[in-house]
Amino acid sequence: MIKNLDNPLEMVSLISPDTLIKVTSTLDKSVGKKNLIDGSPETCWTSQQGLPQTITLTFPSSSSSSRGVIPKTLSLTFQGGFVGRTCAIHVRPVPVHLDSSEKATWTVLKYVYPEDVNRRQTFTLPTPTVTTVNSALSSSSEPSTPPVTVGVSALPSASTEGNIEPEDIINAHPTVEERLGISALKLTFETSSDFFGRVTIYDLELKGYRLG
């Protein structure tokens, strides 16, 4: 069952207490990964120096028939001077055939390029489709190619908060048969505005639709 997929006003947060969050590194305990989603503007996650830095979100599966989630907007609030300026968004799709022994691997969904500012930045995300899953299943390693978007519906490349148009999301939706959920999403910061490659994020929010 597809839930709340055709009404952009009913998008929900895809990050819950059961979402597994992993990061490449943490500078110290006071700036740990839990600060990414605690909702406080006073706390943050800061990586150690060195690139790339990654944040991986693995979404809980309520049943063996779960078809994952469809992310539609990603919001990030960085600390200026410690911004991941080049960010590859990888997804791990739920296989088309849930009983398949094949394991989906990571595939590039989109690249985004945050500005070196303190304010909240929101990006629209394309919808994973059958082509995305087929690409992931046939891939033997993580993508290392330049920014390429495959198997997704066309949406604006990026948007600051307040500029995402609901009709753009509706018009860009693929057919029901093409829509596919993901089980995990990974942000890979390949460059940083910090000379030492550190990244600081005060808030991370992912909204979209849950598939039953």
Side-chain angles (χ1 to χ4, degrees):
M1 177 183 297
I2 297 177
K3 302 177 181 178
N4 300 331
L5 193 56
D6 291 318
N7 187 348
L9 300 180
E10 295 183 8
M11 287 195 301
V12 299
S13 173
L14 299 180
I15 300 177
S16 70
D18 295 327
T19 302
L20 178 62
I21 302 176
K22 291 185 178 181
V23 295
T24 304
S25 66
T26 298
L27 186 62
D28 59 55
K29 292 182 178 179
S30 67
V31 289
K33 62 184 181 181
K34 66 176 187 248
N35 296 334
L36 287 166
I37 59 170
D38 66 357
S40 172
E42 305 298 325
T43 61
C44 64
W45 164 73
T46 298
S47 72
Q48 296 180 7
Q49 65 183 31
L51 292 168
Q53 296 290 338
T54 65
I55 300 173
T56 303
L57 306 174
T58 302
F59 307 105
S61 175
S62 58
S63 68
S64 60
S65 62
S66 174
R67 294 192 176 275
V69 303
I70 293 182
K72 296 307 300 182
T73 64
L74 169 69
S75 299
L76 299 166
T77 305
F78 293 92
Q79 178 179 328
F82 297 86
V83 175
R85 296 300 307 276
T86 303
C87 176
I89 302 175
H90 294 79
V91 294
R92 188 169 63 207
V94 174
V96 179
H97 302 291
L98 296 176
D99 58 352
S100 172
S101 60
E102 294 182 287
K103 299 296 183 181
T105 57
W106 295 103
T107 187
V108 174
L109 181 67
K110 182 176 184 175
Y111 271 73
V112 296
Y113 304 91
E115 299 177 51
D116 189 6
V117 294
N118 295 321
R119 60 178 166 77
R120 181 187 180 95
Q121 302 180 65
T122 297
F123 305 92
T124 58
L125 303 178
T127 300
T129 64
V130 173
T131 307
T132 310
V133 173
N134 290 339
S135 173
L137 289 173
S138 62
S139 175
S140 60
S141 61
E142 291 191 6
S144 58
T145 56
V148 174
T149 301
V150 295
V152 295
S153 59
L155 280 174
S157 59
S159 173
T160 55
E161 185 178 20
N163 291 332
I164 297 176
E165 300 295 336
E167 59 267 26
D168 291 336
I169 299 178
I170 294 174
N171 294 336
H173 274 163
T175 64
V176 171
E177 291 75 15
E178 293 174 329
R179 294 165 175 153
L180 289 170
I182 65 169
S183 60
L185 180 144
K186 178 167 63 176
L187 308 178
T188 301
F189 299 106
E190 299 179 353
T191 64
S192 171
S193 58
D194 174 54
F195 178 79
F196 297 102
R198 292 167 294 186
V199 176
T200 295
I201 298 178
Y202 279 84
D203 182 67
L204 184 157
E205 185 179 71
L206 188 69
K207 288 187 175 181
Y209 308 96
R210 298 183 187 278
L211 303 182

